[in-house]
Amino acid sequence: MATLPGQAGRASHSSSHMMKTTKRGRPYLKDTVDLFATLVVSLDLTTHRQFFRQIPNSFTTDEACANLSNLKFAQSTRGPDPKDPTRIVTTTTTTTFSMSREMAKSMCQHFMDARLIENAGDRQSNIFKDRGTYQVTPKGLHILERFITRNGMTADHLVKVFATQPICMKLLHLERRPDDDDIIISQIPIVDLFRRFAGRQPNYPTTSDSNMPPDPAQEHNERSKGIFLQDVTERLEGQKSAQLFRFCFYSPAALDWLCDFSNIVARDEAAELMAHFVRYQLIQYVTDHSSRREDTISFEVKGGPGTTLRALPKAEFICNPKTLYRITEEGQRTARWNAPPRAAGATTGSAPTAAVTTGETSGRPSEDSSEVHAVDINYGPGPGTGVGGAKGLAGAQEAQATLQRRGSVAERLNKLEESMVHDSPKESNTDRLKFILSEPALRSLFRDFLRGNFCEENLSFWLEVEDLKRRFGTSSSASAATAAPTTGKGSQMEKHQDGLIKMAFVIFNTFLAHSSPCELNIDHGLRNELDAYLSNVLSVDGKGFVGKVEPAQTAQFTATQLQNMIRLYERIQNHVFRLMATDSVPKFVKTKQFVALRQYVQGLEQVDADFRMATESVASPPTAAVGAQHDFDSFGDELTGRTFMTVSTAANEKARALAAKAEAKRIGVNVPASAR
């Protein structure tokens, strides 16, 4: 690294050194991250053609090697002059990386091992080839986003990449020793990593009847909930009958998961941590179907002098492709699968419940305004703070303060989906529609769906009548209505009543009058009954009601007549509600937009759970039992590692952009190209 001289008024010094490597021959994690992010920022990620496929946002082997041969990164910092604290100086550091083509290919191979890039033509390949096309992985985009934010860069040429590719929303960071860059192994990081690995609940993959390839973003979102599990029936050696093993997974899938969702940079690191899962009896070997046992690759770990009775003295993890492991009962307790779900707003000990605040909506009910509130939290102990340090705890509390959630929206969305998958009764459609109408974001999305199917007037009418009923219910004159005419010039109550009458006939002229701009398609009998009632009560100079209602015809309308009219409206409203529930809702819940919103809310719910987990680790490391009746007392002189979670803001920015675009479309404003 060389620091170039600065200009006048700037601090200036220069130095150079070889990149530090670990005992396993890999660069230190910080150097790896900086080099990877600097490379991606320098590349022009365009569309490349490979095997008759167009691969967007990609780069080739030649492009990566050419940039790595002479890669520069400049960073400026402002601070007090060490010689004169009253003077502020700007220090510009330019880091230059230089390497041969073979060294560049070796570095790119390390990026692949760390799951920062992947072969776009063959995602199962782990080899960086001499002629290949590559893309940045979701984990790589998460790392890249943090690098850009931390260094105050714009990187406009990467906006399209962040907008179109899946991003790892939550990345677990394990603390490393500063002298050799090895992960600090102790109870706290092992438990935190395992909880993230196992998920809040067993994660069984959903089966699809479609022959289409899975959507990458959806597949990544499902994997982020925890390792994919399966139930397997096996007859073990020495047993006469087969036995069912639940919560099973294969070794390679576990290694890939750890590399994808944590700062682990190689499969051997992941295998070592999986061996510690075995040592702590969180997972257990089941069987190995490999045909050539001599090719077995295993990692063995041993406990230190401070090992408790809970952990085995030593353990190994076998990495064969067909080696099967399962999550034990101890692992299930540690993952808290059987723990009762925490209610929104509840707190337990030092782990506050994370939440998302939703604002109130205002304005006419038929003119929905909804807002998708996105969150950005980056929590955990900062540099130089202990596990219970003030900075780490303050950061966690500050993040928690930004998360206040009203109800578990994700659980309710999942219930709707479950009732949709099974043969559900008609009442389930009613429940779905009630939920859609109660959630502003869903209601706005539902309105867009109805507009596309040319039946938006159904929702608009239902909301207008609901608002009219609410306003009428606040008037005390409704219960003691008289036959006295309403002039609109009397008391405040009379003015309020006059406004309700005008509102009722605006609804009629908009939705129910013949040839009205938003005429409803309602039952013929209901329409005739409403027309007959209005013809009976409305007359001007002896002329009955015909077509639309004129303002002069409402002058003699009484509160009793208004009440009867609202009752008719309510019957029509119920008819429209049933129509939406039986015809529109089943189609709406199958749309890509609904599925995307459900996954986004689930992501926020997962952020809440991860936040609680991280806060517990930051605030107070567990000193009592986590799973069964075991002790986590002393680990002798063993270092206590720390963990923290970082959350990407790019997914939240996508949600804000989509919400702004939907709102602009609703009010008829063109969305600028820069906001799309």
Side-chain angles (χ1 to χ4, degrees):
M1 179 187 75
T3 305
L4 301 185
Q7 301 175 3
R10 296 171 176 262
S12 169
H13 65 277
S14 64
S15 63
S16 64
H17 64 80
M18 297 294 293
M19 186 179 295
K20 296 174 64 176
T21 58
T22 66
K23 60 185 179 183
R24 295 174 178 173
R26 291 191 296 265
Y28 275 36
L29 176 62
K30 185 180 184 307
D31 291 335
T32 299
V33 168
D34 289 344
L35 182 56
F36 158 75
T38 305
L39 170 64
V40 176
V41 170
S42 71
L43 288 168
D44 185 16
L45 300 180
T46 59
T47 300
H48 292 82
R49 185 177 179 86
Q50 185 180 35
F51 302 126
F52 307 103
R53 288 179 53 203
Q54 298 289 336
I55 304 175
N57 307 324
S58 58
F59 62 93
T60 64
T61 301
D62 292 338
E63 292 171 348
C65 292
N67 283 32
L68 283 173
S69 65
N70 187 21
L71 194 61
K72 294 183 179 181
F73 169 65
Q75 182 180 16
S76 298
T77 57
R78 288 175 56 84
D81 188 344
K83 298 180 180 179
D84 183 6
T86 61
R87 181 169 172 261
I88 301 298
V89 296
T90 301
T91 303
T92 300
T93 304
T94 301
T95 306
T96 303
F97 298 95
S98 300
M99 60 187 72
S100 64
R101 179 179 176 85
E102 291 303 316
M103 179 62 70
K105 288 173 57 180
S106 177
M107 184 58 63
C108 289
Q109 179 63 60
H110 178 47
F111 294 158
M112 288 196 72
D113 294 340
R115 298 295 298 146
L116 301 176
I117 62 174
E118 61 185 358
N119 190 322
D122 182 10
R123 300 187 185 279
Q124 302 302 320
S125 173
N126 295 322
I127 305 300
F128 188 81
K129 301 179 180 179
D130 194 57
R131 297 175 62 87
T133 304
Y134 301 88
Q135 286 181 314
V136 183
T137 64
K139 175 182 175 180
L141 288 177
H142 184 112
I143 296 291
L144 181 61
E145 179 189 354
R146 293 190 67 215
F147 179 84
I148 292 173
T149 303
R150 185 171 63 247
N151 293 289
M153 305 170 64
T154 54
D156 293 336
H157 63 294
L158 295 175
V159 172
K160 181 182 177 182
V161 182
F162 284 105
T164 57
Q165 291 188 204
I167 305 172
C168 177
M169 189 165 186
K170 300 167 292 295
L171 193 67
L172 184 65
H173 298 258
L174 307 174
E175 187 180 16
R176 295 172 179 266
R177 293 188 181 92
D179 53 346
D180 58 9
D181 204 50
D182 282 348
I183 295 174
I184 301 175
I185 302 298
S186 64
Q187 167 235 320
I188 291 177
I190 292 299
V191 169
D192 284 353
L193 181 63
F194 178 77
R195 286 176 180 166
R196 186 79 177 88
F197 172 82
R200 291 185 297 167
Q201 293 295 329
N203 187 21
Y204 286 90
T206 56
T207 57
S208 175
D209 298 332
S210 174
N211 294 325
M212 298 293 292
D215 178 63
Q218 183 176 356
E219 183 180 22
H220 179 79
N221 178 74
E222 293 299 322
R223 287 185 67 229
S224 68
K225 300 174 185 177
I227 182 70
F228 279 155
L229 301 174
Q230 56 184 304
D231 296 339
V232 178
T233 301
E234 292 285 347
R235 188 175 64 182
L236 303 182
E237 185 177 353
Q239 293 185 353
K240 296 182 179 180
S241 59
Q243 181 181 353
L244 175 64
F245 294 92
R246 301 196 63 198
F247 315 126
C248 297
F249 58 89
Y250 285 100
S251 294
L255 302 182
D256 289 340
W257 195 98
L258 290 182
C259 291
D260 282 336
F261 297 98
S262 71
N263 68 339
I264 294 173
V265 293
R267 292 169 71 88
D268 56 348
E269 273 191 349
E272 180 183 354
L273 289 164
M274 292 300 300
H276 283 288
F277 288 173
V278 177
R279 187 169 74 91
Y280 282 99
Q281 304 180 63
L282 303 174
I283 64 174
Q284 184 181 56
Y285 171 85
V286 177
T287 187
D288 189 352
H289 292 288
S290 301
S291 57
R292 299 179 60 183
R293 295 299 177 89
E294 63 272 13
D295 294 337
T296 295
I297 301 175
S298 64
F299 282 79
E300 182 175 307
V301 295
K302 298 180 180 179
T307 300
T308 64
L309 295 176
R310 178 180 184 274
L312 300 174
K314 65 178 181 178
E316 70 170 353
F317 182 77
I318 302 174
C319 304
N320 289 346
K322 296 184 179 180
T323 305
L324 195 68
Y325 281 83
R326 71 180 184 93
I327 295 178
T328 64
E329 292 185 1
E330 177 68 18
Q332 297 171 39
R333 286 191 292 266
T334 302
R336 300 171 177 171
W337 283 357
N338 301 322
R342 303 187 187 187
T347 59
T348 303
S350 61
T353 299
V356 174
T357 304
T358 56
E360 297 181 357
T361 59
S362 59
R364 293 295 295 271
S366 61
E367 299 176 354
D368 269 326
S369 69
S370 64
E371 184 178 356
V372 179
H373 291 261
V375 296
D376 169 27
I377 60 177
N378 190 335
Y379 45 82
T385 60
V387 175
K391 290 185 179 179
L393 181 57
Q397 291 174 341
E398 181 180 357
Q400 184 267 344
T402 65
L403 298 171
Q404 299 296 327
R405 189 173 191 82
R406 56 172 186 86
S408 180
V409 178
E411 292 181 4
R412 298 168 70 184
L413 283 170
N414 287 333
K415 288 181 180 179
L416 297 189
E417 184 191 27
E418 290 173 3
S419 64
M420 177 188 70
V421 172
H422 302 90
D423 293 331
S424 54
K426 293 182 178 179
E427 286 74 14
S428 66
N429 288 326
T430 301
D431 295 336
R432 295 174 195 165
L433 183 55
K434 288 179 180 178
F435 174 50
I436 290 170
L437 295 174
S438 67
E439 291 294 333
L442 268 178
R443 190 169 65 237
S444 178
L445 203 63
F446 187 51
R447 176 183 294 281
D448 291 339
F449 170 78
L450 294 177
R451 186 182 299 118
N453 287 269
F454 306 102
C455 53
E456 182 187 0
E457 64 275 2
N458 290 335
L459 177 60
S460 298
F461 173 79
W462 190 92
L463 293 171
E464 290 284 2
V465 173
E466 197 70 11
D467 188 46
L468 176 63
K469 292 181 342 186
R470 178 184 61 81
R471 294 171 185 252
F472 184 77
T474 62
S475 175
S476 60
S477 62
S479 59
T482 63
T486 301
T487 64
K489 298 181 181 180
S491 64
Q492 286 295 115
M493 187 61 67
E494 290 175 336
K495 291 180 180 180
H496 174 69
Q497 181 177 305
D498 185 57
L500 291 178
I501 293 173
K502 291 180 179 179
M503 181 178 177
F505 285 109
V506 167
I507 293 175
F508 178 84
N509 290 337
T510 304
F511 300 102
L512 300 171
H514 295 286
S515 301
S516 58
C518 301
E519 185 175 1
L520 291 177
N521 182 18
I522 62 173
D523 182 72
H524 185 68
L526 279 175
R527 184 180 294 280
N528 287 343
E529 187 175 348
L530 178 62
D531 289 348
Y533 176 74
L534 292 179
S535 298
N536 185 44
V537 299
L538 296 178
S539 63
V540 176
D541 299 330
K543 296 181 180 180
F545 159 76
V546 179
K548 292 186 177 182
V549 178
E550 301 298 332
Q553 294 177 290
T554 65
Q556 304 300 317
F557 210 71
T558 66
T560 300
Q561 294 168 340
L562 175 62
Q563 192 172 25
N564 293 333
M565 189 174 182
I566 290 178
R567 289 171 181 167
L568 285 171
Y569 278 3
E570 190 170 18
R571 291 172 57 191
I572 299 174
Q573 186 192 33
N574 292 335
H575 171 80
V576 170
F577 184 91
R578 289 193 298 271
L579 184 65
M580 290 191 294
T582 57
D583 182 63
S584 300
V585 169
K587 300 174 183 177
F588 169 67
V589 296
K590 296 178 182 179
T591 61
K592 294 181 179 179
Q593 292 82 0
F594 175 84
V595 173
L597 180 61
R598 176 175 59 83
Q599 292 175 348
Y600 172 71
V601 174
Q602 285 178 335
L604 295 182
E605 290 285 312
Q606 182 65 48
V607 169
D608 296 351
D610 292 337
F611 171 78
R612 288 193 292 267
M613 178 189 74
T615 305
E616 288 170 354
S617 297
V618 171
S620 55
T623 56
V626 174
Q629 300 299 320
H630 299 294
D631 293 329
F632 287 88
D633 293 334
S634 172
F635 280 77
D637 296 330
E638 187 178 7
L639 286 175
T640 300
R642 298 173 294 180
T643 64
F644 67 96
M645 190 86 68
T646 54
V647 180
S648 170
T649 62
N652 298 323
E653 291 174 358
K654 288 182 185 179
R656 293 191 187 100
L658 290 174
K661 185 176 180 181
E663 179 68 11
K665 181 180 178 182
R666 182 186 66 79
I667 63 178
V669 177
N670 292 329
V671 181
S674 60
R676 292 176 183 172

